[in-house]
């Protein structure tokens, strides 16, 4: 199995705070996420700024688009995002129109753009089959921030869903209040990306925290 990538989620309330974090952490991670909170606070300026400062990193705009797929996808890609998210409850038309924008740009300049379906909240296996049919390759398996705060942990039910999503051929990102000790729980699966925000950003030593994540990925996915 390939070693999973590490994505740093920047759910900061200001671009200034986000950039204070990336200044010390950008070179420690593979993917830099303009988090939902940062995108709401600062808009496309955040995406544009992150890609122009870190062109060698994958930049993900976690906008969790629910509608207007074509317009929102054009906005994030034209501001430098490589990947974006569409929320799982979005109509399939939104998934398809966002994906069409990604594909058009990839075909034009050869640089990969992609759409991830964000699995926060309710979704069905019929919908998952429709995403696959539409050409979606990546999904984000997400324990929502609020669900986590309300006490939701990781469990056997998550592993069953993750196994089924993998067997359908999706590449998975895993996220939601992850701490480095959580990683071995997922080690049976070919996880593409682990996404961490608070446990790295708010650590006493964020660089050491990011390195611990990388070390755990290398140790458990050989
Ligand atoms: C919340 C998100 C966050 O970016 C994701 O949960 C990662 O951040 P953290 O590790 O702090 O939970 O998309 O909706
Ligand atoms: Mg996020």
């Amino acid at each position: 199995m390939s070693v999973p990538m590490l994505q740093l989620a920047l759910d900061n309330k200001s671009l200034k705070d986000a950039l204070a974090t990336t200044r010390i952490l950008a070179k420690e991670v593979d993917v830099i996420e303009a988090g939902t909170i940062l995108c709401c606070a600062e808009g496309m300026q955040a995406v544009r700024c992150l890609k122009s400062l870190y062109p060698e990193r994958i930049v993900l705009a976690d906008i969790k688009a629910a509608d207007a797929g074509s317009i929102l996808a054009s906005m994030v890609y034209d501001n430098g995002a490589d990947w974006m998210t569409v929320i799982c409850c979005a109509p399939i038309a939104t998934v398809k129109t966002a994906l069409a924008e990604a594909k058009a740009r990839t075909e034009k300049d050869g640089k990969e753009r992609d759409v991830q379906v964000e699995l926060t909240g309710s979704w069905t296996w019929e919908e998952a089959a429709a995403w696959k049919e539409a050409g979606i390759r990546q999904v984000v398996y997400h324990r929502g921030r609020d669900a986590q705060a309300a006490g939701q942990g990781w469990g056997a039910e998550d592993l069953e869903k993750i196994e089924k999503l993998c067997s359908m051929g999706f590449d998975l990102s895993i996220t939601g209040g992850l701490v480095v000790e959580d990683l071995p729980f997922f080690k049976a699966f070919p996880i593409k990306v682990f996404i961490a925000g608070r446990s790295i950003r708010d650590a006493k030593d964020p660089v050491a925290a990011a390195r611990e994540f990388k070390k755990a990925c290398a140790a458990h996915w050989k």
Side-chain angles (χ1 to χ4, degrees):
M1 282 193 280
S2 303
V3 176
M5 292 194 280
L6 179 60
Q7 178 170 324
L8 174 67
L10 297 168
D11 286 294
N12 303 88
K13 290 189 228 157
S14 76
L15 184 53
K16 185 169 165 272
D17 279 358
L19 294 180
T21 303
T22 54
R23 226 167 271 135
I24 56 168
L25 282 171
K27 61 178 183 302
E28 307 293 337
V29 303
D30 306 290
V31 183
I32 298 176
E33 171 187 331
T36 312
I37 294 171
L38 181 62
C39 288
C40 287
E42 299 276 7
M44 289 303 104
Q45 183 190 198
V47 176
R48 198 163 58 244
C49 186
L50 289 169
K51 192 61 182 180
S52 64
L53 286 171
Y54 308 107
E56 74 291 353
R57 294 283 176 271
I58 295 168
V59 170
L60 176 126
D62 188 15
I63 60 168
K64 298 183 174 74
D67 195 7
S70 182
I71 292 173
L72 291 176
S74 298
M75 275 170 54
V76 298
Y77 295 133
D78 293 344
N79 280 285
D82 302 287
W83 297 347
M84 67 171 281
T85 56
V86 168
I87 194 70
C88 53
C89 60
I92 194 68
T94 303
V95 172
K96 286 182 180 170
T97 50
L99 204 50
E101 297 297 336
K103 279 190 179 154
R105 285 162 180 80
T106 302
E107 278 165 21
K108 200 167 167 195
D109 64 14
K111 292 182 199 153
E112 191 209 46
R113 313 304 195 292
D114 210 358
V115 175
Q116 301 177 327
V117 175
E118 242 279 351
L119 306 180
T120 306
S122 314
W123 53 277
T124 64
W125 291 109
E126 288 71 28
E127 285 165 335
W131 303 328
K132 191 77 194 147
E133 173 74 23
I136 287 290
R137 294 175 297 173
Q138 301 193 60
V139 297
V140 183
Y141 194 84
H142 194 167
R143 174 178 60 165
R145 190 172 169 129
D146 297 336
Q148 182 203 357
Q152 188 181 313
W154 297 106
E157 201 188 318
D158 296 307
L159 294 185
E160 277 166 34
K161 287 183 187 164
I162 288 168
E163 181 172 26
K164 193 161 173 188
L165 289 163
C166 288
S167 73
M168 290 175 79
F170 288 113
D171 289 334
L172 264 69
S173 294
I174 305 279
T175 192
L178 280 183
V179 292
V180 73
E181 291 78 13
D182 291 327
L183 267 55
F185 185 69
F186 305 99
K187 72 179 180 190
F189 305 106
I191 306 304
K192 185 180 173 87
V193 184
F194 281 108
I195 309 170
R198 289 163 291 174
S199 64
I200 295 180
R201 290 196 325 268
D202 301 344
K204 205 166 159 203
D205 183 344
V207 171
R211 288 181 185 169
E212 283 302 313
F213 266 90
K214 288 293 244 185
K215 212 164 95 187
C217 286
H220 297 291
W221 282 264
K222 291 182 182 163

